[in-house]
Amino acid sequence: MISLILRRLGTAIPVLLAVITLTFVMVHSAPGGPFDEEKAVSPEVLVKLNERYNLNEPLVVQYFDYLGNVLQGDFGPSFRYPSRSVTELISIGLPITFELALYAILFALMLGIIAGVISSLRPNTAYDYVPMTIAMAGICIPSIVLGPSLTLIFGIQLNWLPVTGWGDIPGDKVLPTITLGTAYAAYCARLTRGGMLEILNQDFIRTARAKGLSEFRVVVVHALRGGLTPVIAFLGPAMAGLLAGSFVVETIFGIPGLGRFYVEAAFNRDYTMILGTSIFFSCLIISFNLLSDLVAASLNPKLRDQ
Amino acid sequence: MKKINIASLLLLVFLSACGESESKVDSALTEQVLYFGNGTEPKDLDPHTVTGVPESHILMALLEGLVMRHPEGLDPLPAVAESWTISEDGKTYIFTLRENAIWSNGDQVTASDFVWAWERMLTPSLGSKYPDMLYDVVNAEEFNKGIIKDFSKVGVKSLGTKILSVRLKNPAPYFLGLLAHYTTRPVHRPTIEKFGEIDTIGSKWTRPGNFVGNGPFTLEDWQLNKVLKVKKNPLYWDADKVRLNGIHFFPVDNATREDLMFRNGQLHVTSTVPLEKIEVYSKQYPDLIHIDPYFGTYYLRVNVKKAPFDNKLVRKALSLSINRKEIVEKVAKGGQIPAFSFTPPDPNSYFPPTTLEYDPVLAQSLLKEAGVSQEKLPAFEYLYNTSEGHQKLAQAFQQMWKQNLNIDVELANTDWKVYLSRQNIGDYTIARAGWIGDYPDPKTFLDMMVSDRGNNQTGWSNYEYDNLLIKAAQSPSQEERFKHFYKAEQILMDELPIIPIYTYTRVYMLNQDVKGWSPNLLDSHPYQFVYLER
């Protein structure tokens, strides 16, 4: 187990280095710079600004300076928000994005597992087709369509829920959670159905039924434990995907999370912020994948020795 | 079927927790809190380093200058300065500051606060974005450009705790107007020095808890990308008149979301209206939609260094073949006014010359006269930044030029920073542009086209034009200045390095509870006059 962790961490370093290098080269080669503004900045001011952000050095020097700073945990000041450091911006955005992702995954698990179990119990009947068709639709509808539609129905037409914000008005977390969680709920439903179908056909289930156990005990106590393995394996990548992919939902609902900072940084040519968030997201994705590998390994002894 | 049942059940559980509550706008009536849609997230709150409109809205609440703008007109009203005298030659101003003007921490607002704030603003190493606002002051430009190192040579002096004297190099009748701009407002020296040097960019003095201001409101809370709250400042000299208890500024950069927020009762005033809704709302909610004239011009920049656009006849032909009336009525559709001059008419009764009527026949003959035929004019590029509105206008120009002059235009749509950078380095042929005046005077527009100004960007340079602007600066009377401006504008409209299209309007939604909000050219609404009542 320890060697697995060490091996994975060993591959993580070159991956991170590649991410930093590629992002660095890409942001600096993008046309337009952070100081291009509508009110043209005078050449004298530009010199001062370049000095402050270390942009007057050759690119190679800047790159190694940056690497050195990152190793010390310093992502530098943001260009867009001169009075804030990238680390501060990440620490503002992350808890919000994390909370949103957590609600979304809980919503997805709850809805997905229930729907998946129901359809696996009576496969190839209406009880199977209807939830699975809805699940397919859930996977296909992008959040950029689902979010505004939900807003229009529940926010404007019915006036039940606020259309924007995060933690200001009661109920404002409902629509973003549903919007972000739906696609994952649909995946969960399909994975649960697949896992359950495989388990329900096995001998120990027949034995359990033969013992005269109630259907509820058979399904919930015996079958579900094995039937959820694919869903658990999916959790790691799903959480990483939710964290890194929440910017669409954050933009639709005006949630001040990390995803929005990330996208805005690209438009603003906020070099340090783009680099900082890219590195941060890479670390996050690497750790969640490692975590999900570890869970899978602990469930399946065969994987441990590989 | 069960999935649907479960889903709706789940939703009901969520909903029962919240129910149908009173909207924020309703409860604001008793709380007297204004919910303000403020466009983008402010970069910072340092009046010397920011440039944006959202920042200006917040700084109007937090800091107060020597004068403020009258909410209905644009005339200067006494603010920190209780009164002032102007010498006969128009070059020396003596301001008497209010005895009861104090900072939000209880310190007196003194004349030396202004002197220090202006020193900071002009300090070259701070890299402030609006130093030219004070270039009329004796030696200010020289100090800002590093020619003079000693600030005591600059024409601003404290003649006592509450007496400030300002010496100008030219009589500048618009000078009081500049003093209402946020960049000339005072800043609290001990606070700034607590967190850094005079030239530290981005120190923590602008954070809630640290910020010390002298405006009608104080900074209460600032959550990035979420909300910035200000609350009434009980120490403000005119606090009795301030009826709002607070303002919440929401950074909503998406017009559709802002529109939803307004309809959901979460905002009193929006920063814009989605393009496709302007027409609908004008019919449906004529009481809520506001289309106010705005001191800004939508125009086209022409790169005069590129043939054949180095020939003014070609530029004129381009301009004459644009049907501006049709553009504003059928494309822009926001109540804009066709513009035939760079300066919008009537800031303090200045009426610029207008000679650019739509005339495709004349346009064709000018093109012939210039010796430009189809073969000689390959398709050229029209540069604009990504936005639905700019795109529609670009297509309209493309069609008009094709139809009237048989010229092919390629549309080049780039993101904001690329668009700015390409104009800055002159890598374009024709580009859209917009300019909003900073103060109510033609100078804020015409100065931009002086040779080699940072925002000229067309490569155009005209000796006579430059000279007229210098003469205008030296004129003692407004009448004479305007005469020079008029002539300068005539040259500009004859040469056409820029082609004006329309005068902007500011289109926004305003809740009817908001009272004391008067439309004006600079979209400036001092909050001490605003209150909520149904």
Side-chain angles (χ1 to χ4, degrees):
Chain A
M1 198 70 141
I2 289 175
S3 78
L4 174 80
I5 298 175
L6 286 178
R7 252 183 297 131
R8 296 301 298 265
L9 287 181
T11 52
I13 291 166
V15 168
L16 274 179
L17 212 60
V19 168
I20 297 175
T21 315
L22 271 177
T23 319
F24 190 88
V25 172
M26 275 158 72
V27 295
H28 282 275
S29 53
F35 307 126
D36 283 317
E37 285 180 41
E38 193 155 30
K39 184 170 164 57
V41 178
S42 73
E44 297 92 6
V45 172
L46 199 61
V47 169
K48 298 285 166 212
L49 289 170
N50 281 334
E51 238 168 68
R52 176 176 145 82
Y53 288 96
N54 199 20
L55 292 178
N56 45 2
E57 302 280 348
L59 214 55
V60 185
V61 178
Q62 283 184 46
Y63 173 72
F64 284 105
D65 282 351
Y66 184 76
L67 268 188
N69 289 338
V70 167
L71 282 179
Q72 292 164 36
D74 178 12
F75 289 128
S78 156
F79 286 78
R80 167 69 167 79
Y81 303 102
S83 67
R84 317 218 175 215
S85 69
V86 172
T87 315
E88 187 189 349
L89 292 175
I90 292 178
S91 66
I92 291 174
L94 181 70
I96 296 164
T97 300
F98 193 78
E99 193 188 346
L100 172 62
L102 196 72
Y103 291 157
I105 201 107
L106 287 177
F107 169 78
L109 285 177
M110 215 153 60
L111 200 66
I113 291 175
I114 292 172
V117 168
I118 289 169
S119 39
S120 70
L121 289 180
R122 289 182 182 73
N124 305 326
T125 64
Y127 287 101
D128 182 15
Y129 292 143
V130 172
M132 283 307 121
T133 309
I134 296 173
M136 207 59 224
I139 293 173
C140 296
I141 297 175
S143 48
I144 198 147
V145 175
L146 185 63
S149 314
L150 289 176
T151 310
L152 213 60
I153 298 168
F154 295 106
I156 302 298
Q157 302 288 348
L158 299 172
N159 203 12
W160 284 354
L161 288 165
V163 295
T164 185
W166 188 252
D168 301 321
I169 312 167
D172 62 6
K173 294 181 182 176
V174 176
L175 292 182
T177 301
I178 295 175
T179 308
L180 186 59
T182 298
Y184 291 89
Y187 270 114
C188 277
R190 295 200 64 85
L191 288 171
T192 309
R193 177 181 180 270
M196 285 296 284
L197 278 181
E198 207 182 313
I199 298 290
L200 284 172
N201 286 330
Q202 289 189 11
D203 291 344
F204 76 96
I205 296 292
R206 201 174 310 134
T207 314
R209 289 214 170 103
K211 277 197 296 187
L213 291 182
S214 71
E215 186 66 14
F216 183 78
R217 269 190 75 90
V218 172
V219 172
V220 174
V221 180
H222 292 260
L224 210 53
R225 190 180 284 171
L228 285 186
T229 320
V231 176
I232 290 166
F234 170 66
L235 277 184
M239 199 60 192
L242 280 168
L243 283 172
S246 64
F247 67 87
V248 175
V249 175
E250 285 178 14
T251 308
I252 296 172
F253 292 99
I255 299 166
L258 194 52
R260 256 179 93 194
F261 282 128
Y262 194 24
V263 176
E264 279 168 14
F267 284 119
N268 293 321
R269 303 289 189 275
D270 191 341
Y271 295 154
T272 44
M273 189 66 193
I274 301 172
L275 276 160
T277 24
S278 298
I279 295 168
F280 184 77
F281 275 130
S282 317
C283 291
L284 221 60
I285 290 167
I286 290 170
S287 348
F288 275 113
N289 281 336
L290 177 62
L291 210 69
S292 110
D293 280 358
L294 289 179
V295 173
S298 69
L299 286 177
N300 186 350
K302 271 188 220 158
L303 289 171
R304 274 175 231 171
D305 310 322
Q306 280 173 16
Chain B
M1 285 315 279
K2 268 196 187 135
K3 181 166 172 183
I4 300 173
N5 289 339
I6 291 159
S8 51
L9 205 80
L10 223 100
L11 210 68
L12 274 176
V13 175
F14 274 126
L15 292 178
S16 58
C18 46
E20 197 172 333
S21 55
E22 179 182 47
S23 83
K24 282 173 80 177
V25 167
D26 293 332
S27 52
L29 279 172
T30 45
E31 292 161 9
Q32 286 293 315
V33 174
L34 182 71
Y35 298 110
F36 197 107
N38 199 26
T40 51
E41 173 68 35
K43 282 189 175 165
D44 199 352
L45 296 178
D46 186 330
H48 298 153
T49 60
V50 299
T51 51
V53 173
E55 286 87 350
S56 78
H57 289 151
I58 298 166
L59 287 171
M60 191 153 67
L62 297 177
L63 293 172
E64 189 175 75
L66 290 166
V67 302
M68 64 171 133
R69 289 189 187 114
H70 193 284
E72 284 168 33
L74 296 163
D75 303 333
L77 281 181
V80 172
E82 192 173 41
S83 62
W84 53 84
T85 56
I86 305 169
S87 66
E88 214 142 281
D89 61 359
K91 289 189 189 176
T92 308
Y93 285 66
I94 308 279
F95 295 93
T96 310
L97 312 192
R98 277 172 212 283
E99 282 305 320
N100 55 353
I102 47 181
W103 293 99
S104 55
N105 69 345
D107 291 356
Q108 286 287 325
V109 177
T110 63
S112 35
D113 283 329
F114 281 91
V115 177
W116 191 78
W118 290 10
E119 178 179 351
R120 179 171 187 263
M121 199 264 244
L122 292 169
T123 297
S125 49
L126 180 75
S128 87
K129 307 273 170 62
Y130 269 117
D132 45 328
M133 280 284 182
L134 289 178
Y135 278 4
D136 288 308
V137 177
V138 169
N139 282 338
E141 185 169 358
E142 288 77 1
F143 180 79
N144 183 242
K145 294 197 164 148
I147 301 163
I148 292 178
K149 303 277 178 212
D150 180 7
F151 190 74
S152 65
K153 293 200 174 116
V154 179
V156 54
K157 296 268 173 324
S158 149
L159 303 179
T161 358
K162 295 282 186 184
I163 297 177
L164 182 75
S165 107
V166 180
R167 277 187 309 121
L168 307 183
K169 50 184 179 192
N170 304 306
Y174 53 90
F175 187 67
L176 283 174
L178 298 181
L179 297 181
H181 192 271
Y182 59 81
T183 203
T184 64
R185 290 181 199 156
V187 287
H188 191 243
R189 180 173 182 175
T191 309
I192 292 180
E193 289 186 331
K194 196 169 132 194
F195 294 96
E197 307 288 321
I198 191 169
D199 61 349
T200 311
I201 310 169
S203 79
K204 295 204 184 325
W205 77 270
T206 51
R207 301 294 178 88
N210 300 344
F211 197 102
V212 173
N214 69 331
F217 295 86
T218 57
L219 185 58
E220 185 187 2
D221 189 13
W222 183 7
Q223 299 175 46
L224 230 54
N225 269 352
K226 190 171 177 183
V227 66
L228 186 147
K229 297 178 182 170
V230 300
K231 61 171 186 231
K232 187 176 171 176
N233 175 8
L235 295 179
Y236 177 61
W237 64 270
D238 204 8
D240 293 346
K241 205 164 136 201
V242 181
R243 289 170 71 176
L244 288 176
N245 285 322
I247 309 168
H248 294 183
F249 295 95
F250 294 93
V252 203
D253 43 16
N254 176 315
T256 313
R257 190 158 64 78
E258 187 179 56
D259 178 50
L260 288 174
M261 284 173 78
F262 182 82
R263 287 160 68 190
N264 197 230
Q266 288 175 250
L267 288 180
H268 283 112
V269 52
T270 67
S271 67
T272 182
V273 174
L275 216 55
E276 69 279 6
K277 300 240 165 107
I278 296 176
E279 218 178 350
V280 184
Y281 286 176
S282 300
K283 289 194 190 102
Q284 231 172 341
Y285 311 113
D287 300 333
L288 299 179
I289 191 165
H290 284 240
I291 300 181
D292 296 346
Y294 201 21
F295 195 43
T297 305
Y298 194 103
Y299 62 99
L300 310 182
R301 271 198 183 106
V302 187
N303 189 344
V304 302
K305 294 261 161 94
K306 276 198 181 172
F309 301 100
D310 51 352
N311 186 338
K312 77 172 182 188
L313 295 176
V314 179
R315 303 197 290 265
K316 214 170 219 169
L318 286 182
S319 175
L320 286 169
S321 49
I322 293 172
N323 187 344
R324 291 170 177 75
K325 190 163 173 277
E326 200 148 290
I327 292 277
V328 299
E329 279 171 8
K330 301 212 170 116
V331 188
K333 291 201 263 194
Q336 293 87 348
I337 306 145
F340 301 101
S341 60
F342 193 24
T343 317
D346 196 26
N348 299 322
S349 322
Y350 167 76
F351 295 97
T354 54
T355 51
L356 291 171
E357 303 299 334
Y358 174 57
D359 192 343
V361 181
L362 180 61
Q364 282 158 10
S365 68
L366 284 178
L367 214 53
K368 254 187 219 133
E369 196 187 325
V372 175
S373 59
Q374 257 271 252
E375 299 78 50
K376 277 193 190 159
L377 190 70
F380 67 88
E381 209 180 50
Y382 177 90
L383 178 71
Y384 64 100
N385 57 299
T386 311
S387 131
E388 203 192 329
H390 299 328
Q391 167 119 16
K392 281 185 184 155
L393 286 166
Q395 286 162 348
F397 299 142
Q398 186 185 35
Q399 197 201 342
M400 285 176 184
W401 285 329
K402 177 77 193 166
Q403 201 178 330
N404 295 332
L405 301 175
N406 198 20
I407 297 176
D408 285 308
V409 180
E410 280 165 17
L411 302 186
N413 176 5
T414 71
D415 91 331
W416 179 238
K417 292 287 187 183
V418 177
Y419 156 82
L420 292 176
S421 137
R422 283 186 58 183
Q423 288 180 86
N424 218 347
I425 56 176
D427 175 26
Y428 74 99
T429 308
I430 291 188
R432 73 141 287 259
W435 190 253
I436 311 293
D438 291 314
Y439 47 92
D441 192 83
K443 185 173 184 274
T444 184
F445 283 88
L446 298 178
D447 220 24
M448 208 159 85
M449 294 311 294
V450 169
S451 313
D452 300 324
R453 280 291 146 88
N455 273 84
N456 179 323
Q457 295 178 347
T458 57
W460 182 73
S461 162
N462 185 297
Y463 178 74
E464 206 187 336
Y465 181 89
D466 295 357
N467 243 347
L468 279 166
L469 265 104
I470 294 171
K471 272 191 205 155
Q474 290 165 345
S475 309
S477 76
Q478 192 76 304
E479 205 182 325
E480 207 183 314
R481 284 181 74 235
F482 283 179
K483 251 187 227 158
H484 294 306
F485 283 143
Y486 190 92
K487 271 191 210 152
E489 191 123 18
Q490 265 176 335
I491 294 173
L492 193 64
M493 289 304 101
D494 180 53
E495 290 268 330
L496 289 170
I498 51 133
I499 301 173
I501 302 295
Y502 61 69
T503 302
Y504 276 104
T505 45
R506 170 131 148 70
V507 186
Y508 60 101
M509 306 295 279
L510 181 71
N511 188 291
Q512 282 177 298
D513 298 346
V514 181
K515 302 288 185 312
W517 181 283
S518 331
N520 59 51
L521 264 186
L522 286 175
D523 186 36
S524 141
H525 310 278
Y527 308 115
Q528 47 269 60
F529 301 98
V530 176
Y531 60 97
L532 303 170
E533 198 175 80
R534 194 170 285 178

